[in-house]
Amino acid sequence: MRILVLSNLYPPDFIGGYELCCRQIVDGLLARGHEVQVLTSSPRSPCESPDHVWRSFDLVNCYDAYEVLRSLPLTRDVRDGKSVWANAHNVYVLIDALKRFDPDVVYLWNLFGLGGLGLVGCLQYLAVPWVWYLGDCVPLMLCRRGAEVLPVLAEEFGRRVRGSYMPVSQRVVDEIEATGVRLSGQVETLPNWVLGDTPPSRERYYRPGEKLRIVSAGQMGRHKGIHLLIEAAALLRERGHENFSIDLYGKVNDTSIADLPRALDVERHVAFHGLCSQEELVAHYERHEYDVFAFPTWEREPFGCAPLEAAAYGCVIVMTQSCGIGEWLVHDVHCLKAPRTAAALADVFAGIMRGDIDLGPIGRRASAVIWRDFHLDALMPRIEAALARAARQPRGPVGRPDDAYRLARLAEKLAKAIIHEDYVETQAA
Amino acid sequence: MKPITVAYLGLLDSDRATGTRRAEEHLTRLAQAVAARSGYGWTIEIISAGLEAATHSVSAGVLRTILPIVGKPRTPWDAVSWRLPEALARADLVHLHDGFSRLGEAALLIAKQSHQPICITEYGLNGHWLSSELGLTELADVVICHCPALAGRLQSTRPVEVVPAKFDVAALGLPAAWPSPNCLPLRAEQPANYDYHAAGAGLYAIYQRLLNQTMEMAA
């Protein structure tokens, strides 16, 4: 198949798991003999790109807290509109890529920041079939204005946008549809995955009396519960536990988190190691340098790739009771789940250190099930089948590319006019 | 056979600026002529956005719908409604009677995206930035002109059909330069000798051809 992949970012330019997963899938599809072309944004820092990656999209970087916080409200609103609704330049780039590459199917990833609604609208208009990997609630994000979902967009999305969705968990679908944004077409849940060869079974697990080595990786923010983990460390100390360490890998953009270990006097136990490549992290897990992967993330977490990778090597996940990856793994069988509080986390860690919880059986079961059911090789046939099915779907009326571009320009102008008008009204009020 | 609904948009915002009902009367009479020509099998729904949202029947085959306006538009021609997609979903064909109102532009976006057949009436006006900058008439399936000379001059790749009539759109009210909420000086007289019966017959024939083409393409 000829597959055109659309993603807001693409490694080595990445923020989180969404785009890392995208690269893994692209590499997997290429290895299986498909012709794949990636269309993504110009990188935020200079980087090399292979021939199959076109970095022509313009990303409205709504992840850039520095710029977002310092922008005037009107500038921010206009940027937000362009980020989610319509960016005519990106529609032009997409149309050009469709002409040059002539794909059988388009594989959509994270479209936030690209004027994603306009891109999807363009594909609908040109009757180009698509499959959308939902590693987060992207359709919902695209129907928002600020924090609010616009009912008219939600309704029209459900009515007009029809294709194949592959969400990573049911909670992604539930969160999207709870706001009135209906996913029309085929919806098939598919978890995230691990890569590589099945390693030899981990022989050695934590034993009481040893140092409990806790790790976490990802965005070092409050939404990921990193503050809870540091607070749990302080609680453990209060309860007389000193023989543990918490290693944290990822960028720390939140100063209130960066300062927390010092403020809670757990600097000797908690260490920030900064950004670490996926390969380096896996190497840590392979060497069994950690006993527990702490994942006290928010409950809306769509999935969680980092804990899955750790658990594949016998590092037991201690996770928020209810989150995306929790739909796929069973408490006390493949992982440990706890309420999302520092006290609950501390209870679990203390239970392990006392020997009340034996990590060995849990780690072995999780590792076995992950290498069997969550390996990309096991999931790839389902992805290929979904792409092939979409490519075979009978197509509706096909619009002209020139018209699609005109529509995008019209949409961008109308959106901007409405945002400006609201701003004038707000100022007047 | 499914009854046909044609949505009419445009011109009506000018009535708010002129304080007259000229545009409404013009579109109503045109709609009545089309409805009559269809043997009252078709419905023409005349749509605008305004403060008092309502739908009522004007006469056999003619509905008048006012959609709830969003926010506070700076000029009468900046009015738009979030209920527009829902209203257009009822239509088999959309006819935009001006190229300078935001409701018309939004309707063009929505209808084109759903592959609904679209007619745009072209009066040969200049100075309406969005229409001319984006070449919006290129999104029409049929461009309708009242003036044969204008039809000959139009540089459009779209089919141009002439419904001959002596018609002066300036008599209904044209927007002054944005953000003025006023019209350009209004011509004193309503369009003279406008033969609604003939215009309705001409439009009906165009609509029917367009609907047939759309059905053939869908099949």
Side-chain angles (χ1 to χ4, degrees), chain A residues 121 125 152 160 406 421 425, chain B residues 102 110 112-114 134:
Chain A
Y125 184 69
V152 65
R160 290 165 193 272
R406 274 203 178 84
E421 213 153 68
E425 192 185 329
Chain B
R102 186 178 296 163
I110 296 161
K112 192 70 186 173
Q113 180 72 36
S114 352
L134 301 184

Side-chain angles (χ1 to χ4, degrees), chain B residues 50-63:
Chain B
L51 296 174
E52 289 170 13
T55 293
H56 68 271
S57 172
V58 176
S59 57
V62 179
L63 283 180

Side-chain angles (χ1 to χ4, degrees), chain A residues 134 167 169-178 181 183 187 189:
Chain A
L134 296 181
S169 59
Q170 184 57 38
R171 88 182 30 235
V172 170
V173 180
D174 293 345
E175 187 178 339
I176 294 169
E177 298 206 322
V181 179
L183 302 180
V187 181
T189 311

Side-chain angles (χ1 to χ4, degrees), chain B:
Chain B
M1 197 174 160
K2 180 180 168 289
I4 296 295
T5 298
V6 180
Y8 272 19
L9 294 103
L11 298 179
L12 297 161
D13 296 328
S14 297
D15 281 354
R16 295 209 349 254
T18 61
T20 71
R21 287 175 44 82
R22 289 182 180 188
E24 174 132 17
E25 279 167 11
H26 166 67
L27 282 189
T28 303
R29 291 182 67 187
L30 205 52
Q32 284 168 332
V34 173
R37 188 66 186 79
S38 76
Y40 298 102
W42 289 15
T43 300
I44 316 300
E45 187 172 357
I46 304 170
I47 300 170
S48 66
L51 296 174
E52 289 170 13
T55 293
H56 68 271
S57 172
V58 176
S59 57
V62 179
L63 283 180
R64 176 73 175 98
T65 295
I66 301 173
L67 303 171
I69 216 163
V70 178
K72 287 186 181 157
R74 291 189 71 177
T75 78
W77 299 276
D78 288 334
V80 76
S81 173
W82 291 148
R83 303 293 290 275
L84 183 61
E86 188 188 324
L88 292 179
R90 297 191 287 267
D92 300 282
L93 186 150
V94 177
H95 187 158
L96 307 178
H97 290 267
D98 74 36
F100 46 76
S101 65
R102 186 178 296 163
L103 196 70
E105 289 156 359
L108 183 57
L109 178 65
I110 296 161
K112 192 70 186 173
Q113 180 72 36
S114 352
H115 300 283
Q116 285 168 295
I118 299 168
C119 297
I120 297 181
T121 301
E122 172 64 55
Y123 306 101
L125 301 172
N126 291 316
H128 298 290
W129 193 88
L130 198 57
S131 295
S132 54
E133 168 75 9
L134 301 184
L136 293 184
T137 50
E138 288 298 299
L139 291 170
D141 294 287
V142 173
V143 180
I144 294 170
C145 291
H146 288 309
C147 168
L150 171 65
R153 281 199 312 272
L154 272 186
Q155 293 184 339
S156 175
T157 63
R158 312 308 301 148
V160 179
E161 299 257 12
V162 180
V163 176
K166 285 191 175 168
F167 179 69
D168 184 1
V169 70
L172 303 183
L174 292 174
W178 192 89
S180 166
N182 301 316
C183 279
L184 295 173
L186 195 59
R187 303 268 164 87
E189 294 296 317
Q190 294 251 25
N193 305 322
Y194 190 95
D195 184 346
Y196 284 101
H197 182 72
L203 289 177
Y204 177 76
I206 293 167
Y207 298 158
Q208 208 162 37
R209 277 201 296 277
L210 194 48
L211 288 166
N212 287 341
Q213 280 169 18
T214 309
M215 275 195 294
E216 279 166 23
M217 279 166 66

Side-chain angles (χ1 to χ4, degrees), chain A residues 291-371:
Chain A
D291 305 298
V292 164
F293 187 101
F295 197 52
T297 188
W298 52 0
E299 298 196 340
R300 68 160 301 276
E301 182 74 43
F303 192 83
C305 299
L308 190 74
E309 275 169 352
Y313 296 92
C315 181
V316 173
I317 313 171
V318 176
M319 69 169 84
T320 305
Q321 207 163 27
S322 169
C323 63
I325 190 174
E327 288 178 20
W328 302 90
L329 302 173
V330 180
H331 171 64
D332 257 349
V333 177
H334 310 112
C335 64
L336 296 165
K337 296 180 184 178
R340 192 176 184 251
T341 64
L345 282 172
D347 287 346
V348 176
F349 298 146
I352 297 167
M353 285 191 272
R354 282 196 308 268
D356 298 344
I357 300 168
D358 185 0
L359 295 182
I362 299 174
R364 274 188 285 275
R365 282 191 295 262
S367 179
V369 82
I370 288 169
W371 288 107

